[in-house]
Amino acid sequence: MSRLKVLVLHGPNLNLLGGRDPDIYGSLTLEQVNEALKERGSNLRAEVDCFQSNHEGLLADRIQEAAHVYDGLLINPAALTHYSYVLRDTLAACGLPLVEVHLSNIYAREAFRQHSVISPVAGGVICGLGMDSYLLGLEALIRLIEKS
Ligand code: DQA
């Protein structure tokens, strides 16, 4: 079987991982997260590309381009989770299998974080497990793609 292609998207401020609120988000840098995802992907016969942006429009552009190139998307939309109808509409329009992940348990945090406008267009959501949210999210996404 040919290798699957997966795009991992990270939203605003996730470039600061490692130094940003390590009690909440852990001490791994974004580069380390991406390396771990690529390694897990290669064990699951999936090629993993990663993209981070602080800009909603750049994420939307990348998602539109991804529709023709990738088999599925793994996204941590960061703060955009809670209010970005742009991201939600773009993800819905692109139609690729989608898993949403969060490092922290957004349901155990401030009220504004407890609602995701992205979840209704995702195949599944994993949160609260730190780096394992991403790794389990990748595994779940690959299963979703294989079923689709
Ligand atoms: C986050 C949770 C969001 O509320 C926050 O804005 C982030 C990271 C997480 O991974 O736990 O930037 O998505």
Side-chain angles (χ1 to χ4, degrees):
M1 268 224 267
S2 62
R3 277 164 81 82
L4 297 175
K5 275 180 76 72
V6 167
L7 178 63
V8 178
L9 295 156
H10 306 281
N13 297 311
L14 291 171
N15 55 316
L16 301 177
L17 279 183
R20 173 191 179 208
D21 292 327
D23 292 351
I24 298 173
Y25 300 119
S27 56
L28 293 181
T29 63
L30 186 62
E31 207 180 348
Q32 290 171 319
V33 170
N34 288 341
E35 276 313 306
L37 284 167
K38 283 171 194 270
E39 193 184 323
R40 181 65 59 95
S42 77
N43 294 334
L44 297 169
R45 63 167 196 83
E47 190 181 323
V48 174
D49 291 334
C50 303
F51 178 74
Q52 188 277 332
S53 180
N54 293 328
H55 303 278
E56 188 180 49
L58 287 181
L59 288 162
D61 286 344
R62 198 75 163 85
I63 293 162
Q64 287 186 7
E65 291 161 14
H68 311 289
V69 180
Y70 292 93
D71 299 299
L73 302 175
L74 181 70
I75 189 166
N76 182 347
L80 295 172
T81 304
H82 313 298
Y83 67 90
S84 177
Y85 300 124
V86 169
L87 215 50
R88 175 193 169 126
D89 281 358
T90 311
L91 289 164
C94 107
L96 287 174
L98 171 71
V99 172
E100 174 188 346
V101 297
H102 301 280
L103 292 156
S104 65
N105 178 357
I106 57 173
Y107 301 102
R109 299 186 62 196
E110 302 97 314
F112 79 90
R113 293 188 204 275
Q114 294 176 20
H115 178 67
S116 167
V117 300
I118 306 298
S119 298
V121 300
V125 183
I126 298 178
C127 79
L129 303 172
M131 179 63 207
D132 282 341
S133 294
Y134 277 102
L135 295 175
L136 293 169
L138 180 63
E139 290 183 30
L141 176 63
I142 290 169
R143 289 189 195 200
L144 263 187
I145 294 168
E146 285 170 347
K147 278 195 230 151
S148 69

